[in-house]
Amino acid sequence: MDLIKKTDRIYIAGHTGMVGGAIKKELLKKGYSNLLLPQRKDLDLREYNLVKDWFKENNPDIVILAAAKVGGIQANFKFPGDFILENLKIQNNVIENAWRNDVKRLLFLGSSCIYPKFAPQPLRESYLLTGPLEITNESYAIAKIAGIKLCSSLKEQYGFDAISLMPTNLYGPGDNYHEINSHVIPSLIRKFYNAKVNNYSHVSCWGSGSPKRDFLFVDDLAEAALHTLENVSSDNDLLFEEDSKFNGIINIGLGKDISIKELAELISEETNFKGEILWDLTKPDGTPRKLLDISKANKLGWRPKIDIKDGVKLAINSFIKELENQSIRL
């Protein structure tokens, strides 16, 4: 039996964002053209009744939940209430209405920040809820954990076909290059490119540069999402823990990590910045290391294709194009 068909009505929640946009592109490339793509102004996912009415009117077969309120360390630390409240509303409204309207399959996009700060490396799916979270993005992580648990609980109690993908740190076309609220790679690309065009003598980066992270180009995640929809049943034994309890989580990452210092040096080189890199030790480092164990994804038939060096080059080229098109500004 096909897990997904080309004729299925596929709703991508968050299709204008980096992740949703990449998944949309991948679906169209593979011949899935029956996409439901309401604009944010027409469907506020934080409003339950609007979401309820939309599902009844549009009857999607497949739901991909990529919509979320996201941001970097500073944004998460400064606005914890907004991050937990808005993400809980979005997730609950979409997942509940997908289940109530007999959606065939749901794919929930989470985040690697769900795992404990000091969990053993690399991070396995079974490490969820085994220790305290990183404080700088705790509210966002708790919201994502709630989404995972809602999906797994509906699967256990009602047989709802919901799988949760846990991407590592993502980057690529359509990223957020905001001066304050962006994640590390877009933030560094903006800083180094700006310093290069303005002939600055140095660039100041947050923290010590010692933390290590696993970064994945967003097109690889999009391929993982479609691969999961097409090939991975929620009844697959790999999605259950040893006690037969449904976990439903699949880590999606590069499987290799890089220090923030090495990353900054790579971006400095690729943007042709010739100045000095300074490290602001008054700013937080965050989790010391975060590397995902992607062995489950590998066993399910998916592997990443784009390494960090090639991905950074692609991301810088995309950033420059967006500048030229004035879709972003320095």
Side-chain angles (χ1 to χ4, degrees):
M1 187 177 99
D2 291 335
L3 294 176
I4 182 174
K5 298 176 181 177
K6 291 288 196 296
T7 54
D8 281 337
R9 295 166 60 81
I10 304 175
Y11 169 41
I12 308 173
H15 72 275
T16 60
M18 177 179 67
V19 173
I23 293 173
K24 172 188 168 184
K25 182 177 72 173
E26 181 69 14
L27 285 166
L28 290 172
K29 185 172 77 174
K30 297 295 176 62
Y32 294 90
S33 58
N34 199 3
L35 305 184
L36 303 176
L37 306 171
Q39 296 300 310
R40 187 180 300 178
K41 63 181 177 64
D42 299 319
L43 180 59
D44 186 340
L45 296 178
R46 298 169 299 182
E47 298 293 333
Y48 181 84
N49 286 332
L50 291 178
V51 178
K52 177 183 176 182
D53 292 343
W54 185 90
F55 267 85
K56 284 187 175 179
E57 291 170 9
N58 292 276
N59 298 309
D61 300 299
I62 309 294
V63 170
I64 301 168
L65 179 45
K69 179 178 177 60
V70 298
I73 289 178
Q74 185 165 340
N76 273 272
F77 200 66
K78 192 174 181 180
F79 307 110
D82 294 344
F83 275 88
I84 191 167
L85 186 59
E86 291 192 30
N87 281 302
L88 285 173
K89 285 181 177 180
I90 291 167
Q91 295 164 188
N92 290 349
N93 291 346
V94 173
I95 296 169
E96 179 183 347
N97 281 289
W99 163 61
R100 290 194 182 279
N101 286 274
D102 299 318
V103 162
K104 186 166 66 173
R105 308 207 76 198
L106 181 139
L107 199 62
F108 174 60
L109 278 296
S111 167
S112 59
C113 69
I114 63 166
Y115 295 115
K117 180 174 182 175
F118 298 111
Q121 301 288 324
L123 297 163
R124 301 183 62 185
E125 290 87 349
S126 59
Y127 293 166
L128 182 67
L129 296 177
T130 58
L133 301 165
E134 161 59 41
I135 191 65
T136 55
N137 56 14
E138 183 183 64
S139 292
Y140 179 75
I142 287 174
K144 287 297 183 182
I145 292 169
I148 293 165
K149 288 299 182 181
L150 178 55
C151 288
S152 63
S153 296
L154 290 174
K155 165 66 178 176
E156 282 192 290
Q157 186 173 351
Y158 299 104
F160 182 51
D161 188 344
I163 293 176
S164 299
L165 297 189
M166 292 304 112
T168 188
N169 300 275
L170 299 168
Y171 67 101
D175 213 334
N176 171 21
Y177 294 96
H178 190 275
E179 189 173 5
I180 297 173
N181 296 331
S182 57
H183 288 110
V184 60
I185 286 186
S187 174
L188 291 176
I189 288 174
R190 178 191 174 101
K191 280 186 177 183
F192 281 103
Y193 185 83
N194 189 42
K196 178 240 180 181
V197 298
N198 289 289
N199 294 314
Y200 292 159
S201 62
H202 69 275
V203 166
S204 179
C205 299
W206 277 36
S208 66
S210 63
K212 302 184 78 173
R213 295 288 183 271
D214 177 5
F215 294 98
L216 185 72
F217 195 71
V218 70
D219 288 1
D220 271 341
L221 172 63
E223 285 196 6
L226 184 52
H227 175 84
T228 302
L229 287 172
E230 290 181 329
N231 300 287
V232 182
S233 166
S234 60
D235 292 326
N236 191 294
D237 290 344
L238 290 172
L239 298 182
F240 291 78
E241 299 292 351
E242 292 181 0
D243 59 1
S244 298
K245 187 175 179 64
F246 182 73
N247 175 289
I249 305 173
I250 306 171
N251 285 341
I252 305 295
L254 188 63
K256 302 174 184 177
D257 56 8
I258 182 174
S259 74
I260 302 302
K261 182 175 185 294
E262 291 171 317
L263 177 66
E265 290 169 350
L266 173 60
I267 293 174
S268 173
E269 178 184 345
E270 295 298 334
T271 55
N272 202 30
F273 173 66
K274 303 298 184 183
E276 185 180 5
I277 302 175
L278 304 179
W279 295 92
D280 183 355
L281 299 180
T282 66
K283 296 294 192 295
D285 270 339
T287 304
R289 190 184 185 201
K290 193 161 63 172
L291 172 64
L292 292 186
D293 181 334
I294 59 169
S295 58
K296 183 189 290 187
N298 293 165
K299 290 175 183 176
L300 292 169
W302 174 84
R303 293 181 184 276
K305 296 177 181 176
I306 303 170
D307 66 22
I308 185 65
K309 187 165 185 177
D310 289 339
V312 163
K313 288 180 182 178
L314 291 169
I316 291 170
N317 289 338
S318 174
F319 170 76
I320 293 171
K321 283 183 181 178
E322 290 187 52
L323 276 177
E324 291 171 347
N325 295 333
Q326 297 188 330
S327 54
I328 56 173
R329 295 182 180 181
L330 289 176

